[in-house]
Amino acid sequence: MLYLALMTVAPTAIADAARILREGGLVAFPTETVYGLGADATDDRAVARIFAAKGRPSFNPLIVHVPDLAAAEAVVEFNALARRLAARFWPGPLTLVLPRKAGVSLLVSAGLDTVAVRVPADDTAQALLRAAGRPIAAPSANASGTISATTAAHVADSLGGKVDMILDGGPAARGIESTVIGFARGPTMLRLGAVARGDIEAITGKLHDPQGIEGSPGRLESHYAPNKPLRLNATDARPGEALLGFGTNVTATSNLSPSGDLIEAAANLFAMLRELDAGDAVSIAVAPIPQDGLGEAINDRLTRAARR
């Protein structure tokens, strides 16, 4: 049965969600990035339910969410640089891909010998992870290849009755997925995300290119896609188009950030794409987004969305 808790998530709702997870069910829950579709990462059947619910290719790995570094150390083997990144960015929107330990389902990493792990900062996510008492595999809570969910309503719209419970913690604060770093060939940017490249490179030095490296979620060429065609770097809207603006686009249908704030733009990205996708326009045009800071991750998501 689908169940939506209140925006201020009650302890009883957390307890119910934790029980559902321990029994092999699926729970959608908020994180500071996007909503996740969670299952017990140690339970093969539960993890398989994630793939079935999302229609997700089995070769696309999942991220394991844990409440703290000690819990992460039970799942993966840390190197010194990974520890430095965890100390700086956890809890927060950074995922580390590291050698697996025994106990986590092979389905989580699509059979690879690494596991993607992170410690979310969201209070509801933290409460759920601690109550569940086990690592939780959780990709974004939406049908595979579609726009990521940043509210509980987005989850219900995309997945409906395929989820046993939805915890509604309000809109995701960051609104864009976690940055993913791997270490197989030295520190590597596997996925752009809510932690900017420059902040990571201040610790790691220059990150390697991910070409030819497997093991990261969100690496499909076409991803985060609306149903309507998407045209990038648009200066105005053509007939039949809705314009998603940035900065001083006074004619925009919706505007990611009228003040040109990339943090605000990232937080609004998926929600506004969903809104325009549900509107009357036949296609969506998107204004140019600067490439610096979080703009790099925003442009990555838009480029993948345009490849539908």
Side-chain angles (χ1 to χ4, degrees):
M1 181 196 305
L2 189 66
Y3 171 82
L4 270 72
L6 297 174
M7 286 182 64
T8 302
V9 180
T12 53
I14 295 291
D16 286 345
R19 173 184 53 77
I20 289 169
L21 288 170
R22 290 192 297 270
E23 293 174 353
L26 298 183
V27 173
F29 62 96
T31 78
E32 72 277 20
T33 58
V34 297
Y35 273 65
L37 178 61
D40 180 355
T42 69
D43 183 335
D44 289 337
R45 288 181 62 86
V47 174
R49 287 193 64 196
I50 292 177
F51 291 107
K54 284 178 64 72
R56 184 183 180 95
S58 61
F59 53 79
N60 199 3
L62 309 178
I63 295 175
V64 173
H65 293 66
V66 292
D68 52 37
L69 177 60
E73 288 176 321
V75 174
V76 293
E77 296 279 357
F78 276 78
N79 58 52
L81 187 53
R83 287 185 182 280
R84 288 177 61 195
L85 289 170
R88 170 64 180 83
F89 295 109
W90 282 359
L94 178 69
T95 294
L96 302 175
V97 179
L98 294 162
R100 66 182 303 122
K101 290 184 177 179
V104 173
S105 169
L106 284 170
L107 290 175
V108 165
S109 53
L112 300 173
D113 59 2
T114 54
V115 172
V117 63
R118 89 172 181 100
V119 176
D122 181 86
D123 290 343
T124 299
Q126 278 284 328
L128 177 62
L129 292 169
R130 294 185 185 281
R134 57 197 64 186
I136 301 301
S140 57
N142 53 278
S144 186
T146 64
I147 303 168
S148 297
T150 57
T151 69
H154 293 163
V155 179
D157 180 61
S158 186
L159 296 177
K162 296 177 181 178
V163 185
D164 297 307
M165 184 173 183
I166 300 173
L167 290 174
D168 187 348
R174 295 292 190 114
I176 196 168
E177 290 85 357
S178 62
T179 301
V180 181
I181 301 296
F183 301 90
R185 302 177 189 172
T188 303
M189 176 68 79
L190 293 176
R191 182 178 74 181
L192 294 158
V195 179
R197 180 191 297 270
D199 293 336
I200 294 169
E201 290 185 335
I203 295 173
T204 64
K206 186 172 178 58
L207 293 165
H208 295 289
D209 185 281
Q211 187 172 0
I213 298 177
E214 297 179 313
S216 177
R219 290 290 308 281
L220 296 180
E221 283 299 301
S222 179
H223 207 47
Y224 318 107
N227 293 313
K228 294 175 180 177
L230 202 64
R231 183 171 65 91
L232 305 183
N233 298 313
T235 56
D236 53 25
R238 296 171 180 170
E241 282 185 332
L243 177 62
L244 182 58
F246 177 81
T248 56
N249 297 99
V250 294
T251 61
T253 311
S254 298
N255 197 315
L256 291 169
S257 174
S259 66
D261 183 335
L262 289 169
I263 295 175
E264 181 183 21
N268 286 332
L269 178 63
F270 291 134
M272 287 189 174
L273 279 176
R274 282 178 173 269
E275 180 183 350
L276 295 180
D277 201 32
D280 295 331
V282 297
S283 60
I284 303 168
V286 184
I289 308 294
Q291 190 68 8
D292 56 298
L294 287 182
E296 186 179 19
I298 294 170
N299 282 310
D300 171 77
R301 299 306 190 275
L302 288 170
T303 299
R304 292 173 188 268
R307 289 179 182 149
R308 63 184 296 276

